[in-house]
Amino acid sequence: MNLLSSPASTTPSQTSFPLFTPSQNHSSHSKFTFVFPSKSHYPSPPCFAKQQSSSSSVLEQAPPPSAERSPRNNGGDPEIDSPDEVLVVRRPVMEPTDEESGASEGSDVAGEYGSSSLDEGLSKFAKKMPMFEPERVIPGSSEEKPLMVNLDLALYRAKVLTRNYKYDEAQRILEKCIYYWPEDGRPYVALGKLFSKQSRTEEARAVYEKGCQATQGENPYIWQCWAVLENKMGNVRRARELFDAATVADKKHIAAWHGWAVLELKQGNIKKARHLLAKGLKYCGGNEYIYQTLALLEMKSNRYEQARYLFKQATKCNPKSCASWLAWAQLEMQQENNRFARLLFEKAVQASPKNRFAWHVWGMFELSIGNIEIARKLLKIGHILNPRDPVLLQSLGLLEYKHSTANVSRVLFRKASEMDPKHQPVWIAWGWMEWKEGNLSTARKLYQKALAINPSSESAARCLQAWGVLEQRVGNMSAARRLFRSSLNINSQSYVTWMTWASLEEEQGNTVRAEEIRDLYFQQRTEVVDDASWVMGFMDIIDPALDSIKRLLKFDQNSYQPYDTSTSTLGSNEKTMTGESNLSRKDMESGNGFDLDAFMREKLSLEPSELDDLMTASLTSRGKGTAPPRRVWRPENMPEPTV
């Protein structure tokens, strides 16, 4: 009862009122006081202002000795005489337990509560933990935190700078973003990707680790980007752990499931990859990337009807997915369904008019079936829309060498090598062209430049194989053998390299050695065996109507018929292919429903008659071929962070 009337229970923001009881008259007052929170006209002490956000039952200090001898504590008048008797500065101490409060009720002077042994142990343990603590900006100071809209503008500015290869300025902006918004995961992702582009892998790893600590491991995008980085560095086991962490942070993060599945595919774990893709569909619903990857697996397993169904699902999920249309078109190319493949290429460029892959693959398709002029036109359109892509110029250079002159081809190869000096296939193709022209020394120099970029890549293996063929043709057999052996050390699964080496030995009369080389290839090759038993269970996840899917995909082996391109079955097959793929029957029947020239004028703002002039201007220009960036917000006014 004494605690209720203690003067320490009254604070500057509280007012004492008499407590009425039912047994008393309303005009009579009790000696006990009841405390109501209310606004005070007196300023709060600093230590009290810091404690307002916590719970209100905070242990108070004992009153001074003068207050113990006051008439109020001896049952006198409870009226407050002056504010000085009320304003008591208190220390923010811990709340007492029931035992501690009971033990202190009988004491004359309340002592301060110290830390228990458990708290001391936890405090020592916390000091040893290397936890990242984001810095906070004190409100009202000169470094007050900017508005959140500035973060979006700064991220966009950093993205534009990265595209223009201004990495240092983009890095400064992203570091500012991390300083002011340490709890947001986007600056960490952008900065890590920026370091990865510059091959600064250790710094990128440190940024991702810091971001995971700052976001308390709840941001799946940082985990996923970190996993991709470790996978590129060859740390497959670590990458698996990080992909797993990303799916734990958010099981609906489709990029983590898909990236993890692609990792397992590269490791040859087909069943594990299918299981991960199935989980991605289960938790995230239909996704074009998941369907597309599954369809590509079916293509490799020669299950073309299943692949077509999955491609339909991918294009149905996202009709603007250019990659799905392109992958489906390549399936029809393999099956020599040229008319339907062309329609799929048209859908691809309509879905993404400036996609460089769409124009390139379509151009190579037309080249393969003998439409030289159409192929040249498509590759030129792709280059004008993507003036910094060396692959389009490389393919155009090979086309011009075969159907035009070597001088035109050299101009295209030289321009492509200036655009991206680290693109190995350009140097290899240029070297091959010079070898065919009889310039052996020039060809060897170009092959050496390609190998100097990266001597352990797949492109390097192809370069060594091509160089070995060159030496074989000029009679330098010992050098050819060394080059073939070096190529197989990089890629031991190359059938072409093994057979080329065997043919060299046969030409030299070493038939026994040639047979040994062929036997070595069949002994060491890795053959992935993929069974079809997973399809039934996986289709249950896609659609519960299993019977209709069985009929659609013809899982019954007795009724299964291979895809036929004959005239009698073409109509039924096209009906199956176009059932849910947004392709018009009129386009299928006419075969020329797409007007390329009209598409260029309407969607690309290009005049077909000016295509050659634009191509010539692009080849003769010495700039990077990109338009100047638009004027965007620059964070000059953002205060510099202080360390």
Side-chain angles (χ1 to χ4, degrees), residues 125-136:
F125 179 74
K127 291 179 180 179
K128 297 179 181 179
M129 292 296 292
M131 296 297 293
F132 171 76
E133 193 68 26
E135 298 183 18
R136 301 293 178 181

Side-chain angles (χ1 to χ4, degrees), residues 319-366:
K320 296 295 184 181
S321 176
C322 182
S324 300
W325 292 111
L326 284 179
W328 191 359
Q330 293 182 68
L331 167 63
E332 303 303 334
M333 285 172 56
Q334 294 179 8
Q335 298 299 302
E336 298 182 356
N337 302 323
N338 296 334
R339 185 175 66 173
F340 188 65
R342 185 177 292 109
L343 290 174
L344 294 172
F345 282 124
E346 293 170 0
K347 297 294 291 186
V349 297
Q350 291 177 33
S352 181
K354 295 186 179 181
N355 190 288
R356 56 194 177 101
F357 300 104
W359 295 105
H360 180 254
V361 179
W362 188 6
M364 300 308 294
F365 163 71
E366 298 293 348

Side-chain angles (χ1 to χ4, degrees), residues 21-41:
T21 59
S23 59
Q24 292 176 331
N25 192 350
H26 289 281
S27 60
S28 63
H29 298 279
S30 171
K31 66 179 180 180
F32 303 108
T33 60
F34 188 78
V35 181
F36 290 89
S38 64
K39 296 182 179 179
S40 175
H41 298 288

Side-chain angles (χ1 to χ4, degrees), residues 2 32 38 54 91 112 152 170 216 280 284 327 355 361 404 468 499 507 531 536 543 579 627:
N2 293 333
F32 303 108
S38 64
S54 60
R91 295 180 181 177
E112 295 183 356
D152 299 331
Q216 300 180 0
C284 311
N355 190 288
V361 179
S404 182
M499 296 303 108
E507 290 176 0
D531 60 87
M536 293 298 184
D543 194 340

Side-chain angles (χ1 to χ4, degrees), residues 583-598:
L583 291 178
S584 132
R585 170 59 57 184
K586 181 179 179 181
D587 292 342
M588 289 296 300
E589 293 175 353
S590 63
N592 56 358
F594 180 76
D595 189 349
L596 181 59
D597 292 342

